[in-house]
Amino acid sequence: MTRNEEALDIKHTNYRNIYRLFFQYNGLSKPQIVKLLNLSLPTVSNNIGELEAEGKIREGGFFQPQGGRPAIAYQLVENAFISIGVEIQKKNVRCLALNLQGNILAQKDTALYFENEPQYIESLCNIIHTFIRSLGCLYTQILGIGFSIQGIVSKDGQSMLYSRVLPGEHFDVKELQPYFDVPVKLFHDVKCAALTELWFSEQIDNAVYISISEHLGGAIIINNQIDLGKKGYSGALEHLQIHSEGNLCYCGQRGCLETYCSLSALLSPNETIEAFFKALRNKDELVLMRWDAFLEHLAKGLNTVYLLLERDIILGGEIAFYLIPEDLKILQEKILKLSTFPLEGDFIRIATQQKYTSAIGAALPFLIEYLP
Ligand SMILES: [Zn+2]
């Protein structure tokens, strides 16, 4: 590194470190930054000037230190940049905007039937443009658009590797990118939901995230990251075979966990999840039996998962909202009966994030990439 490059590098590091502080503190004065980062006042002043000119921070009141002169307080401009998440569902498109602090600025659901046609892509992109216009921001403020899809996506987020639920060879970044001047990426909906859980709960470092909604899916969290495996197939617990001659799965195989432990498997046609859990909590005998069988199958699947990975299991998806601690107790007891090793303590919990998790998780990667 030449001396010039070295100076530039230090300058860049100072800029990033100062910008980063605004994500941690509500308001900061120049003297406070001088103290926190052990930098000179001229260095701090230069960087504050730069950040303010770029619209990344703004003046926000005064600090009155004891006995000292009041100092201007600067604050992060939280909406300086925005990340967009779009969740593709069978009958619906959900658009959501996150600001730099990860707060939801806007959310909108629009009815649109998924179709494997170029016409669908066009309608979808129109919906997204309308949503972005409604935010009243500039396109230069958009960090990127992430699509959460019910299918496994290539590691680089460019194409769909596998989806029998929403089959679509048109669903590819190559088809979507021409409609937008900002980066576009695809993500697997379950991994999006797991990322949202990871982002909002600080104490996860290793876990297995299982989403139980209309379909079942899994994601593995290793060292605070969503594991994608070699190509992107990692964590596909939905096709874990628990009965060799079992129910036929949409993948073509028999006995997959999906065919016993998804909501499609649990609920009868026309039965809602609300109705099911209401009857369950009222101790309806038939519903109790169905629930017990569901947990029995889930325990079989989770026993294998725990045997392989030995880490906490987080239950997410639509079902999470209805679960109570008693359900987890029964499930853990069932796993204990199957387990080879003695298991101590609780190892299953309910996801803390239960709303818009896939759409949020599709927006988060752009935000994470941007953060200083
Ligand atoms: Zn399957």
Side-chain angles (χ1 to χ4, degrees), residues 238-239 249-253 256 258:
E238 57 271 39
H239 303 297
C249 178
Y250 63 77
C251 73
Q253 201 188 212
C256 296
E258 157 77 21

Side-chain angles (χ1 to χ4, degrees), residues 238-312:
E238 57 271 39
H239 303 297
L240 185 74
Q241 197 184 38
I242 57 164
H243 299 291
S244 57
E245 299 297 322
N247 300 336
L248 186 64
C249 178
Y250 63 77
C251 73
Q253 201 188 212
R254 281 195 176 274
C256 296
L257 198 57
E258 157 77 21
T259 67
Y260 294 91
C261 298
S262 59
L263 290 185
S264 328
L266 175 67
L267 306 175
S268 346
N270 299 325
E271 185 182 32
T272 64
I273 184 167
E274 289 89 2
F276 177 88
F277 278 97
K278 199 173 168 207
L280 179 70
R281 303 306 173 211
N282 287 333
K283 303 208 180 326
D284 178 298
E285 226 165 279
L286 279 175
V287 171
L288 274 170
M289 276 167 62
R290 282 163 60 198
W291 183 236
D292 192 70
F294 178 92
L295 292 178
E296 197 76 44
H297 294 305
L298 189 57
K300 198 162 179 190
L302 295 188
N303 178 50
T304 308
V305 168
Y306 202 79
L307 196 65
L308 271 175
L309 294 162
E310 203 212 353
R311 60 197 60 195
D312 282 357

Side-chain angles (χ1 to χ4, degrees), residues 17-251:
N17 286 344
I18 292 171
Y19 189 28
R20 185 187 291 137
L21 279 186
F22 287 97
F23 286 84
Q24 296 158 6
Y25 295 86
N26 250 334
L28 286 165
S29 67
K30 288 177 192 173
Q32 282 176 314
I33 299 170
V34 165
K35 242 191 214 164
L36 281 166
L37 295 178
N38 210 5
L39 293 170
S40 72
L41 185 59
T43 299
V44 171
S45 290
N46 278 339
N47 282 292
I48 290 289
E50 206 173 313
L51 286 165
E52 205 182 359
E54 290 167 347
K56 293 176 180 171
I57 59 168
R58 62 164 170 254
E59 287 185 17
F62 288 92
F63 276 117
Q64 180 75 63
Q66 272 184 337
R69 282 201 313 168
I72 298 170
Y74 295 90
Q75 287 175 336
L76 181 75
V77 177
E78 295 180 338
N79 299 352
F81 293 98
I82 290 164
S83 186
I84 308 286
V86 179
E87 183 183 349
I88 306 295
Q89 300 165 344
K90 220 180 264 178
K91 304 173 187 169
N92 197 43
V93 174
R94 169 168 295 158
C95 297
L96 179 144
L98 290 185
N99 72 6
L100 288 179
Q101 294 283 39
N103 298 322
I104 299 174
L105 288 178
Q107 187 278 123
K108 191 174 195 303
D109 285 1
T110 310
L112 181 70
Y113 261 83
F114 183 88
E115 279 176 289
N116 187 18
E117 300 290 341
Q119 180 57 39
Y120 172 81
I121 299 290
E122 201 176 322
S123 309
L124 172 69
C125 294
N126 283 336
I127 289 171
I128 298 166
H129 279 298
T130 306
F131 176 73
I132 292 175
R133 275 198 298 275
S134 77
L135 298 173
C137 65
L138 300 168
Y139 262 84
T140 48
Q141 289 177 270
I142 309 272
L143 296 170
I145 305 171
F147 290 84
S148 152
I149 51 179
Q150 293 178 10
I152 294 170
V153 165
S154 63
K155 245 180 136 169
D156 59 8
Q158 298 297 301
S159 52
M160 190 131 84
L161 290 180
Y162 180 93
S163 179
R164 289 272 163 91
V165 180
L166 294 182
E169 65 267 18
H170 292 292
F171 219 91
D172 193 288
V173 167
K174 279 204 287 295
E175 305 281 333
L176 294 160
Q177 190 66 73
Y179 290 90
F180 303 101
D181 288 333
V182 297
V184 166
K185 268 190 168 188
L186 309 181
F187 302 100
H188 177 203
D189 62 346
V190 176
K191 294 191 179 89
C192 289
L195 181 62
T196 303
E197 184 71 16
L198 188 59
W199 170 267
F200 287 100
S201 12
E202 274 152 19
Q203 48 327 29
I204 306 174
D205 45 3
N206 294 295
V208 180
Y209 183 90
I210 297 179
S211 166
I212 300 177
S213 293
E214 184 186 358
H215 296 286
L216 184 141
I220 295 167
I221 300 171
I222 301 178
N223 295 331
N224 265 305
Q225 302 262 329
I226 307 295
D227 180 59
L228 295 174
K230 250 160 65 178
K231 287 190 170 159
Y233 293 107
S234 170
L237 305 173
E238 57 271 39
H239 303 297
L240 185 74
Q241 197 184 38
I242 57 164
H243 299 291
S244 57
E245 299 297 322
N247 300 336
L248 186 64
C249 178
Y250 63 77
C251 73

Side-chain angles (χ1 to χ4, degrees), residues 306 336 341-347:
Y306 202 79
L336 278 174
F341 308 115
L343 303 175
E344 278 166 24
D346 293 339
F347 54 93

Side-chain angles (χ1 to χ4, degrees), residues 319-333:
I319 207 168
F321 179 75
Y322 300 90
L323 295 176
I324 56 171
E326 179 67 14
D327 299 323
L328 301 191
K329 217 179 117 211
I330 299 170
L331 182 59
Q332 284 191 157
E333 276 165 13

